[in-house]
Amino acid sequence: MFRHQGKSRTLKHNLRIATILSFVAGIVNVTGFLSFKQLTTNVTGHFALFINDVADFEFWKGTIYFLYIFSFLTGSFVSSFLIEQYKENKKLNVYLLPTLIESLILISIGVLSNFVEMSFSDLLVCLLLFAMGLQNSFVTKISNAVVRTTHLTGLFTDLGIDISQLFFPKYYSVRHKLKANIKLRIYIILFFFAGGLFGGFLYSKLDLKLNTLIFGAVILLISLIYDDLRYRLIKTRRKYQQRKKIPANTHTKNA
């Protein structure tokens, strides 16, 4: 699900990566809000608050919202830069580095919260927004802009448009594609919601606080390991099948 790109990418690949990443985004969103009372998976609200402070001539107060926005942008830039930098390396899964960086950020915040008093909340919000910028960028690139997992506004808009088009005969020729898009968007919304519930349960009911972020990182790492092992297994199986065909062909020619 992390390796397939372009025409080789199917709905099944997009569903797998969408459910995992939207679930993680749901965890980060709830954990960030409960900890810092700030949105940590998108910048729409921060942009509105930034404009409000600038309009009131409270430039210094608005600076922090600008930093939130800039952190998300920087995460997106870094993710895309790393992917483009290592795109030609066929042996490397180019989506490995952004995912590892995101996991490292989530684990670091969770672990440090057990030993250090988290009094620098603005910095932590910036780090979480950076991590979500990383995620949103690489999932956008890997799915060719079909999957977005860190915010739901655009998803609900696209879902409404796709559902409305099902009622018109002129879209019957692309009905299969519309249903696939609807299915994908519903999965993302449901798993974002499920991630939020799971994160809220761990944060509040089990009192894990920022340690909840570690679970998000673990899910990402397990997904990477599973994807890599599955890729290696399929590759090994194909090589074995090709080797079996060669002697068979040779035997036929000799006969």
Side-chain angles (χ1 to χ4, degrees):
M1 59 185 164
F2 282 94
R3 291 178 180 270
H4 291 85
Q5 300 170 50
K7 293 180 180 179
S8 66
R9 192 159 189 86
T10 65
L11 175 63
K12 187 183 289 186
H13 297 135
N14 285 336
L15 282 173
R16 285 175 181 169
I17 199 165
T19 52
I20 290 166
L21 296 185
S22 58
F23 190 83
V24 172
I27 292 174
V28 173
N29 189 51
V30 167
T31 305
F33 186 78
L34 291 176
S35 295
F36 313 116
K37 300 298 181 287
Q38 296 289 352
L39 300 173
T40 53
T41 58
N42 65 84
V43 295
T44 308
H46 300 313
F47 190 78
L49 291 169
F50 170 68
I51 294 298
N52 181 66
D53 288 338
V54 170
D56 290 339
F57 297 100
E58 296 180 334
F59 299 107
W60 182 249
K61 185 181 176 182
T63 302
I64 188 58
Y65 297 113
F66 173 78
L67 289 176
Y68 290 167
I69 298 166
F70 186 73
S71 297
F72 191 93
L73 174 66
T74 305
S76 178
F77 166 79
V78 169
S79 180
S80 182
F81 181 85
L82 289 172
I83 291 167
E84 293 297 328
Q85 179 75 18
Y86 295 101
K87 214 171 194 176
E88 303 305 319
N89 188 342
K90 301 298 181 183
K91 294 182 180 179
L92 177 68
N93 178 358
V94 292
Y95 300 98
L96 175 69
L97 292 176
T99 311
L100 287 178
I101 294 172
E102 179 184 347
S103 301
L104 181 62
I105 291 171
L106 298 182
I107 290 171
S108 298
I109 293 174
V111 171
L112 284 174
S113 68
N114 297 308
F115 305 102
V116 181
E117 186 179 350
M118 294 299 184
S119 56
F120 39 93
S121 60
D122 289 333
L123 174 61
L124 296 176
V125 172
C126 285
L127 283 173
L128 290 176
L129 283 164
F130 177 86
M132 290 296 97
L134 282 168
Q135 177 176 303
N136 206 44
S137 179
F138 80 71
V139 76
T140 299
K141 289 183 75 69
I142 195 174
S143 67
N144 196 24
V146 174
V147 179
R148 313 228 179 205
T149 59
T150 61
H151 52 281
L152 302 181
T153 309
L155 274 170
F156 274 104
T157 303
D158 293 337
L159 180 61
I161 292 170
D162 288 339
I163 292 173
S164 72
Q165 289 176 346
L166 289 176
F167 292 91
F168 295 90
K170 66 179 179 179
Y171 293 109
Y172 283 175
S173 60
V174 292
R175 198 176 182 85
H176 179 74
K177 185 179 179 182
L178 285 173
K179 287 183 176 179
N181 288 338
I182 290 169
K183 181 179 180 181
L184 177 63
R185 280 156 189 152
I186 289 174
Y187 267 60
I188 295 172
I189 292 167
L190 289 177
F191 275 85
F192 189 92
F193 183 67
L197 287 176
F198 181 70
F201 176 77
L202 294 179
Y203 188 97
S204 302
K205 296 298 181 181
L206 299 186
D207 201 33
L208 293 182
K209 303 303 181 186
L210 285 171
N211 286 303
T212 305
L213 295 172
I214 298 174
F215 283 84
V218 169
I219 291 169
L220 287 174
L221 294 174
I222 290 174
S223 302
L224 274 177
I225 294 169
Y226 167 79
D227 193 60
D228 189 61
L229 289 175
R230 191 169 181 275
Y231 172 77
R232 291 176 186 274
L233 180 63
I234 292 171
K235 198 174 178 182
T236 304
R237 188 185 300 163
R238 284 176 181 171
K239 283 183 178 179
Y240 175 72
Q241 289 173 347
Q242 287 174 353
R243 286 175 184 172
K244 281 183 70 178
K245 287 179 182 178
I246 292 171
N249 293 336
T250 305
H251 180 71
T252 304
K253 286 179 181 179
N254 291 336

